[in-house]
Amino acid sequence: MRYLALIAGMMLALWGAPLHAQSNALYFVATGQRLDDTYGFLRVWRTSDGPLTLGQPISAPFRDGELTVQYFERGRLELHPAHDNAVLRGRVGAEYAAALGRSFPQPTLAIRNAPGRRFFAETGYTLGPPFLAFWEAHGAIDVFGLPISEPRWEYVGGALRQVQYFERARLEVDPRPADLANAVRISDLGRDLARLRGIDLSPVAAGQALPVDANGQPQTTPPVPAPAATPTPAPAARPPAPKPTQPVTRTTGDKLIIVDLSDQWLYALDGDRIVFDAPVSTGRDGFNTPVGSFTIYAKVREQTMRGCAGGECWVVPRVPHAMYIVGGVALHGTYWHNQFGTGVRRSHGCINLPLKAAAWLYEWAPVGTSVVVRR
């Protein structure tokens, strides 16, 4: 029995169980965050199957307008003073879809009346297999809210999967389990939305006090990440960048490209609205893509990339839609692999894009477009 207990303890640790648990607080090793009942978040997490439906906390509680909120891997909890301090789940599904500029067509009458589908007049969308059973079993409207899309196909982590959006979540089908009934999971939209909004996800040491303002209330604005370090210059041995044919000037528009190295994903923004996103593959260890704020200083529609560095030499013909941001580092189309957004970093420092994504970005982003590469 002693050995069984030891094995069980090791398994809990591997799956990200709290480092220590008290009746009024949990500390999570994997994210370095604490969850307690100062605002009732721990109680709601425990009573609504939090480990499954919310995952682990990824931020400290903080003030967001009139609310006190805390982000989790798959969602957000909110304390609402105007509603008798009720703790509600944030509308991360609706907010994430809006941030990406996604609009969802209404279902046809035939879909609405299809056997096995449930129609929601409040939003005009339906819910059926395989998402309906999961939705009903794990909290329904209280946890997920109403559907705000029909099932659709999207790239999730570099893989094409069937998903459906709800007010407070997105459900997805992982095709790998043999039993389709166990293939539905909740997307990590809490983490994705927090990163899009620049929420500080830095770990909080066990026992460390949470940030408060002068009145002892939780911090009144989302914690802001520390400024990015000075960009790391590209190794001299990298292929020389083509010289721009005209003076490099910053555009007067509001276009911005963000490359998130942690998620291996790229976002194109026009003003504060995301108009395009795509998976990427960036520099592997030893050829790490530099972090910082840059601008596109030259564009080449097609070229041969060649060079030697780190004991390796390469010649890659007909690389399409190259957009150089610093030294020999460029965003460009990639035809020699298909591991975008998977976490596999394949490049010598450049930002590899799927061919269609690179072509779209090349036409959209003029010389001078701002590019932010962040961890």
Side-chain angles (χ1 to χ4, degrees), residues 36-43 61 68 79 85 87 210 212 216-218:
D36 60 33
D37 254 339
T38 304
Y39 310 105
F41 295 158
L42 176 58
R43 173 184 55 81
T68 299
L79 180 68
N85 287 328
V87 175
L210 297 176
V212 295
Q217 297 300 312

Side-chain angles (χ1 to χ4, degrees), residues 40-367:
F41 295 158
L42 176 58
R43 173 184 55 81
V44 171
W45 187 83
R46 281 174 163 160
T47 57
S48 61
D49 199 7
L52 171 69
T53 62
L54 285 168
Q56 302 186 52
I58 58 172
S59 81
F62 62 87
R63 286 283 291 279
D64 187 359
E66 296 300 315
L67 308 180
T68 299
V69 306
Q70 185 168 14
Y71 279 80
F72 294 76
E73 293 170 303
R74 301 173 195 130
R76 183 181 68 224
L77 291 181
E78 306 172 343
L79 180 68
H80 287 251
H83 298 283
D84 297 324
N85 287 328
V87 175
L88 305 175
R89 291 178 180 241
R91 300 180 76 252
V92 297
E95 292 170 20
Y96 182 77
L100 296 182
R102 289 177 179 161
S103 59
F104 307 119
Q106 295 284 331
T108 64
L109 186 61
I111 293 176
R112 286 174 50 175
N113 296 331
R117 300 203 67 80
R118 180 176 169 185
F119 174 69
F120 293 84
E122 300 92 333
T123 62
Y125 294 98
T126 69
L127 184 53
F131 297 121
L132 177 59
F134 187 93
W135 183 84
E136 290 177 332
H138 298 290
I141 291 177
D142 290 341
V143 169
F144 304 107
L146 297 169
I148 58 172
S149 82
E150 290 298 301
R152 51 188 275 123
W153 291 92
E154 288 185 3
Y155 278 98
V156 179
L160 189 62
R161 292 184 178 175
Q162 188 180 40
V163 305
Q164 185 165 9
Y165 282 81
F166 297 80
E167 293 171 302
R168 304 186 181 108
R170 184 183 69 195
L171 299 183
E172 62 187 62
V173 176
D174 185 344
R176 289 172 294 184
D179 182 4
L180 187 60
N182 296 321
V184 177
R185 64 182 299 273
I186 307 169
S187 301
D188 289 342
L189 288 196
R191 185 183 298 278
D192 292 344
L193 189 62
R195 283 177 171 160
L196 282 177
R197 293 183 170 175
I199 306 299
D200 187 4
L201 306 183
S202 302
V204 177
Q208 177 181 336
L210 297 176
V212 295
D213 60 20
N215 299 317
Q217 297 300 312
Q219 191 165 308
T220 56
T221 56
V224 178
T230 302
T232 304
R238 285 198 182 145
K243 300 295 183 183
T245 57
Q246 58 186 14
V248 177
T249 57
R250 195 178 191 83
T251 56
T252 58
D254 295 324
K255 292 184 177 182
L256 169 67
I257 296 170
I258 297 176
V259 179
D260 192 314
L261 298 180
S262 298
D263 281 349
Q264 292 289 286
W265 213 270
L266 175 147
Y267 303 91
L269 291 81
D270 196 342
D272 59 357
R273 180 172 176 267
I274 296 175
V275 296
F276 182 77
D277 69 294
V280 299
S281 179
T282 59
R284 65 181 190 268
D285 291 344
F287 299 92
N288 300 79
T289 301
V291 173
S293 298
F294 314 101
T295 59
I296 295 175
Y297 72 85
K299 296 171 61 175
V300 180
R301 192 168 292 275
E302 185 177 287
Q303 68 175 140
T304 295
M305 288 185 171
R306 67 182 76 231
C308 293
E312 299 181 16
C313 292
W314 59 90
V315 177
V316 186
R318 304 187 67 180
V319 178
H321 300 116
M323 295 157 278
Y324 284 86
I325 61 172
V326 56
V329 175
L331 302 129
H332 62 73
T334 305
Y335 57 80
W336 51 92
H337 73 78
N338 189 32
Q339 294 179 297
F340 313 104
T342 64
V344 177
R345 294 174 288 122
R346 289 283 303 267
S347 84
H348 290 95
C350 287
I351 299 161
N352 292 178
L353 283 154
L355 294 175
K356 290 184 178 179
W360 186 94
L361 202 65
Y362 189 91
E363 300 301 329
W364 178 81
V367 168

